[in-house]
Amino acid sequence: MTKHEKNWFVVYTKPKWEKKVAEQLEKIGIECYCPLIIKESQWSDRKKKIEVPLFNSYVFVHLTEVERNLVFQSPGAVRYLFWLGKPAIVREIEINTIKQWLEKPTASEITMSRYNVGSKIIVETGPFTNQEAVIKEVNKNHCVLVLESLGCVLKMDL
């Protein structure tokens, strides 16, 4: 990685600030990606569909190493996500995979069978297709996967 090569970094934000941080950074010319999904929320008197971030407290930014401090011009940007002592870099193909999955109108169904806790698998469907994951937990309702390349844990309903 050179100082002038653009990479996708992960910025950790204040809770519920993901969209605000992305907007503020885009205003100053930083390419951002804050993947959003539609979620149905229940209030006491009604249900409403709202747009929420796919990843809580994370925004992806595309910039060079020398530009990294620019993100702190947004008061909601807290710090960078680090992986093995270095700022985590998300590959372009992973960003594109998320974008492609979110463009599809229906989510893919994931099924788990013959896998044990600790097994390494390749995710076959959904937003993280072809990503390597380690199974952390499996029960009749969900499974928990660790995506080491993204440094995150996913809970997937079965």
Side-chain angles (χ1 to χ4, degrees):
M1 177 176 75
T2 66
K3 285 184 174 185
H4 301 292
E5 176 186 346
K6 281 195 172 190
N7 288 296
W8 285 100
F9 295 98
V10 183
V11 175
Y12 185 77
T13 68
K14 291 179 182 178
K16 311 281 188 210
W17 274 67
E18 303 90 348
K19 292 193 273 187
K20 288 181 220 162
V21 168
E23 285 174 18
Q24 291 168 347
L25 295 178
E26 285 173 350
K27 282 182 183 174
I28 62 170
I30 295 175
E31 182 182 356
C32 296
Y33 181 50
C34 180
L36 302 171
I37 58 172
I38 304 295
K39 179 181 173 187
E40 192 170 278
S41 290
Q42 175 72 51
W43 277 270
S44 60
D45 61 338
R46 67 187 187 285
K47 287 183 180 180
K48 184 177 180 180
K49 291 185 179 185
I50 58 171
E51 204 173 43
V52 297
L54 179 61
F55 301 105
N56 291 334
S57 297
Y58 288 159
V59 172
F60 301 100
V61 293
H62 194 225
L63 36 72
T64 65
E65 182 71 30
V66 294
E67 297 171 318
R68 279 191 335 114
N69 284 337
L70 293 175
V71 301
F72 299 112
Q73 292 182 24
S74 168
V78 176
R79 62 179 169 80
Y80 279 95
L81 179 69
F82 277 71
W83 182 252
L84 301 175
K86 295 181 180 178
I89 294 176
V90 180
R91 297 176 304 176
E92 186 82 34
I93 192 166
E94 294 167 327
I95 296 292
N96 290 335
T97 298
I98 295 167
K99 287 178 179 179
Q100 288 170 3
W101 180 73
L102 290 176
E103 288 173 2
K104 294 178 183 175
T106 58
S108 302
E109 188 175 313
I110 295 174
T111 58
M112 296 289 293
S113 60
R114 73 184 190 286
Y115 296 113
N116 298 316
V117 171
S119 296
K120 282 193 174 185
I121 64 164
I122 301 294
V123 179
E124 294 177 359
T125 60
F128 302 102
T129 301
N130 297 324
Q131 295 297 308
E132 186 174 288
V134 177
I135 300 170
K136 186 171 175 96
E137 176 186 325
V138 179
N139 69 31
K140 65 180 182 175
N141 299 323
H142 71 270
C143 67
V144 177
L145 303 175
V146 177
L147 294 173
E148 294 176 347
S149 68
L150 291 177
C152 68
V153 177
L154 294 176
K155 179 179 175 184
M156 302 181 103
D157 294 328
L158 299 177

